[in-house]
Amino acid sequence: MGILGFFKKKENKENLDQGLEKTKTSILGRLGKAIVGKSRIDEDVLDDLEEILITSDVGVDTTIKIIDRIRSRVSKDKYTNPNELDFLLRDEIARMINENQGDAPDHFLLPPQQHDGKKVPHIIMVVGVNGVGKTTTIGKLAARYKEQGKKVLLGAGDTFRAAAVDQLRIWSQRVDVPMVDKGMNVKPSTVAFDAVKEGLAIDADVVIVDTAGRLQTKINLMNELSTIKQAMTKVLPDAPHEVLLVLDASTGQNAVQQARAFTAATKVTSLALTKLDGTAKGGVVIGICDEFKIPVKYIGVGEGIDHLQIFNAQEFVDSLFRKIEA
Ligand code: GDP
Ligand code: MG
């Protein structure tokens, strides 16, 4: 790692620490209070811990799993000192996330795609409800790929609101990457089709297609997403190679509901959790990893172009449990 890489890593760590500050206070701060004056980890302490995790948006089922595991370790391994609760919790949260994340590869590296023996662009379809941060995430991703010297193409597939197309256009200009822009009042599937076609024509490395996430009914959502996918398939049978679901972590359990709706409607292959900065609901990341078994690839820790990070389970847990400095 060069000196620039070192500073980048340091900056990422600081952004993550800052981003998780409220969640940290919500979990660790209260955990500290729960064990004050306690001489052993008893059911009272575990009850308090349960409440802390649930109100930090970890989710009921995941919380129960964590508490059960801790309870059995307390009785088996004789971890009875309340000061060890931090350690146990950290361990169990790390396990919960890691079980579903696998290794942490560099998600900013594009997987090579081929069709008929020829290299084709990696096609990403970005889904999620309005306002969660799809367009922003696309802009940030485009910037990362561009930085690596990759040829990026965007598709303005959220054609339901004029502002959505405008917003993606601003990002495309800012990052200096082309975009397929058909304006409004055209079907998202038309944009998706054209974007994949254009991506092939210009020999792009990656095509990122924005969509509108209207969560009316499950059937509507299913139809809408499958129409977009089918349009892509007409150009490239394997497309999209990736369906990235964007969720707003600051909405806590709402994000979980959205994940349920979208995973029921289409095959989601990766997740991005945005707006972790400034929310105390960061615990939702743990519940989402546990429930959906879909890798969380990215986390958003701010509005800036540099505020998209690869989600790394170890770094996340380290940051969550790093002592709050006075
Ligand atoms: P979309 O409707 O899903 O495309 O969402 P947008 O990309 O338009 O984002 C909605 C708002 O959330 C914008 O004001 C973004 O700047 C903001 N936003 C997106 N990601 C983040 C993040 O990680 N942190 C913060 N604080 N704001 C974000
Ligand atoms: Mg948008």
Side-chain angles (χ1 to χ4, degrees), residues 85-324:
L85 197 54
D86 261 33
F87 162 77
L88 282 176
L89 182 61
R90 177 194 177 121
D91 216 38
E92 290 306 331
I93 288 177
R95 253 174 69 178
M96 199 61 80
I97 300 178
N98 268 320
E99 271 171 18
N100 309 306
Q101 279 296 119
D103 296 336
D106 187 345
H107 294 305
F108 291 132
L109 292 178
L110 289 166
Q113 304 295 352
Q114 285 208 342
H115 179 60
D116 278 347
K118 277 201 344 232
K119 172 195 165 280
V120 296
H122 178 68
I123 315 288
I124 308 174
M125 170 174 159
V126 180
V127 302
V129 305
N130 259 339
V132 290
K134 286 182 301 298
T135 306
T136 309
T137 301
I138 292 170
K140 291 168 174 175
L141 262 180
R144 286 301 182 105
Y145 289 134
K146 167 104 183 179
E147 219 173 72
Q148 294 171 11
K150 300 295 180 196
K151 200 163 187 179
V152 185
L153 177 69
L154 305 181
D158 182 355
T159 55
F160 291 100
R161 297 171 307 142
V165 177
D166 294 344
Q167 203 192 347
L168 193 66
R169 192 179 302 119
I170 292 170
W171 274 105
S172 97
Q173 286 161 359
R174 181 168 173 200
V175 182
D176 190 24
V177 295
M179 110 169 180
V180 169
D181 175 0
K182 306 260 136 187
M184 270 185 79
N185 305 320
V186 60
K187 287 196 224 124
S189 54
T190 307
V191 177
F193 178 87
D194 284 1
V196 178
K197 220 170 128 195
E198 176 74 3
L200 275 171
I202 66 168
D203 191 25
D205 295 298
V206 59
V207 178
I208 316 176
V209 180
D210 200 0
T211 65
R214 296 177 307 160
L215 250 194
Q216 323 94 328
T217 65
K218 190 176 148 190
I219 291 295
N220 274 339
L221 184 67
M222 221 184 258
N223 288 341
E224 218 166 271
L225 297 176
S226 77
T227 311
I228 300 175
K229 275 175 130 179
Q230 273 164 24
M232 293 181 172
T233 317
K234 283 188 197 144
V235 191
L236 210 55
D238 292 343
H241 304 105
E242 182 172 346
V243 178
L244 175 67
L245 172 63
V246 181
L247 300 166
D248 175 349
S250 73
T251 63
Q253 294 307 301
N254 267 340
V256 177
Q257 295 293 349
Q258 290 164 18
R260 288 188 187 130
F262 276 86
T263 52
T266 194
K267 184 164 171 43
V268 173
T269 62
S270 52
L271 302 174
L273 289 172
T274 62
K275 309 190 202 181
L276 271 174
D277 51 307
T279 179
K281 297 177 192 270
V284 75
V285 176
I286 302 160
I288 283 177
C289 285
D290 179 42
E291 178 171 344
F292 297 98
K293 323 280 185 225
I294 298 170
V296 176
K297 275 195 168 183
Y298 311 107
I299 50 174
V301 291
E303 297 188 88
I305 198 161
D306 280 336
H307 289 152
L308 186 72
Q309 300 191 354
I310 288 175
F311 177 67
N312 178 310
Q314 195 56 52
E315 283 168 13
F316 180 82
V317 179
D318 284 351
S319 177
L320 202 55
F321 283 86
R322 199 166 289 135
K323 288 277 174 270
I324 303 165

